[in-house]
Amino acid sequence: MDTPQGQPGRHAVLHLTNQPGQVQQAESAVVQSLEALHYPKASVFAVRLALHEAIANAFRHGHRNLPPTTPVLVEFDCSPSRVEIIVADQGPGFDPHSVPDPTAEENLERGSGRGLLLIRSYMAEVEFTAPGNRLRMVYARPASA
Amino acid sequence: MSSQEPRIRVKRADGVIHVEFVDRNILDEGNIQAIGEQIAALVDAEQTPKMLLSFANVEHLSSAALGQLITINNKIRARQGQLRLANIDPQIKEVFHITKLSKLFQIHDSTADAVGSFA
């Protein structure tokens, strides 16, 4: 893990391959940083879920036609008031506006397509950089927490 | 076929299959697939399955797990069976509300409430 600046573990750049252990390691690193900053349980839940969905989408969709050893970049920066996460894959990208609304009646029983909805629901800022293979998201700590 | 390690605990009472999850975190896609296969085997063994899924031990759950629950629900409905969910952590319950899957599934606060709701 690279910790180029700030307190150890609160800012890190990771290069993950598609193995459960590596994805779990990234999630644990962020969770530990949030717990060290005394984020409430609900915040830790939200950030972990959004991170998990972002990494899962990167491998499942972005890297669908790439070798499984192709790394996804995950960068996070945790401060007492916000958490910024970047997840970048090496795939061709996608148009985030083209994803069908999974909450529409006709899509409710579809087996997939909810990851982006969850990310948008929990995160204060969500933006994709063209061509859509780099996601930047920010979690804002609730004022009362 | 994925891992044969049990990912669920099963008991039967009054015609209802009670299923509890072994994992606190239902995130890993391999585990989710194994859960789906193990529950599917239970459903396939019943003519009209009545199944209660208890999330008492579960702290995290991904969208892939939600997809697997939809598959299970469809499988049970295809056999004119009934599925109930219970004992869901408030944060996970919020995930069901965000995705509007709370409209698709019958969710109960407790095992007793869920058992009492079977027709």
Side-chain angles (χ1 to χ4, degrees):
Chain A
M1 187 180 297
D2 181 18
T3 55
Q5 64 181 14
Q7 298 183 43
R10 292 188 182 169
H11 179 195
V13 181
L14 310 169
H15 295 87
L16 312 178
T17 56
N18 194 6
Q19 297 170 15
Q22 291 205 6
V23 175
Q24 199 175 345
Q25 188 185 2
E27 291 173 18
S28 295
V30 174
V31 166
Q32 284 170 17
S33 295
L34 296 186
E35 288 175 346
L37 291 165
H38 306 293
Y39 271 76
K41 192 179 164 200
S43 296
V44 176
F45 177 92
V47 173
R48 182 180 185 177
L49 182 57
L51 175 62
H52 180 89
E53 298 296 340
I55 296 171
N57 279 346
F59 283 119
R60 190 184 304 136
H61 303 297
H63 285 194
R64 180 186 296 143
N65 298 317
L66 295 175
T69 51
T70 308
V72 164
L73 177 143
V74 174
E75 181 174 0
F76 66 85
D77 190 72
C78 304
S79 78
S81 61
R82 68 202 289 274
V83 183
E84 181 173 352
I85 298 173
I86 291 168
V87 177
D89 66 60
Q90 299 184 50
F94 77 113
D95 175 6
H97 302 294
S98 68
V99 178
D101 176 6
T103 66
E105 204 69 41
E106 66 272 18
N107 296 329
L108 215 48
E109 295 194 37
R110 286 176 63 140
S112 61
R114 295 179 179 81
L116 192 51
L117 168 70
L118 291 170
I119 291 169
R120 285 184 169 134
S121 298
Y122 285 116
M123 292 294 178
E125 297 173 34
V126 177
E127 62 186 30
F128 287 88
T129 304
N133 61 354
R134 182 181 186 275
L135 164 65
R136 175 183 167 274
M137 55 189 180
V138 176
Y139 179 83
R141 185 177 193 149
S144 59
Chain B
M1 181 73 76
S2 55
S3 164
Q4 289 303 300
E5 190 180 340
R7 305 246 67 94
I8 54 174
R9 283 186 285 268
V10 182
K11 68 174 186 178
R12 289 177 167 78
D14 300 323
V16 176
I17 309 168
H18 294 244
V19 175
E20 273 190 4
F21 298 98
V22 170
D23 301 295
R24 285 190 302 140
N25 301 320
I26 309 181
L27 297 167
D28 173 64
E29 296 205 6
N31 286 352
I32 292 168
Q33 188 183 340
I35 287 169
E37 289 169 358
Q38 289 167 19
I39 293 179
L42 294 171
V43 173
D44 287 340
E46 302 283 325
Q47 272 196 325
T48 52
K50 291 181 180 179
M51 181 173 282
L52 166 57
L53 298 182
S54 172
F55 289 77
N57 306 318
V58 180
E59 295 177 0
H60 288 275
L61 168 148
S62 68
S63 67
L66 296 175
Q68 191 61 258
L69 290 176
I70 291 168
T71 302
I72 292 164
N73 190 44
N74 289 340
K75 201 170 181 61
I76 290 175
R77 283 200 314 202
R79 290 174 173 265
Q80 283 76 51
Q82 300 169 57
L83 176 66
R84 304 288 187 264
L85 312 184
N87 308 314
I88 301 180
D89 177 275
Q91 283 152 5
I92 294 180
K93 203 177 271 186
E94 191 182 356
V95 170
F96 279 89
H97 287 298
I98 290 169
T99 56
K100 299 215 168 121
L101 290 177
S102 48
K103 291 182 357 184
L104 190 67
F105 294 106
Q106 289 203 28
I107 298 174
H108 297 270
D109 287 341
S110 68
T111 298
D113 286 349
V115 168
S117 74
F118 282 106

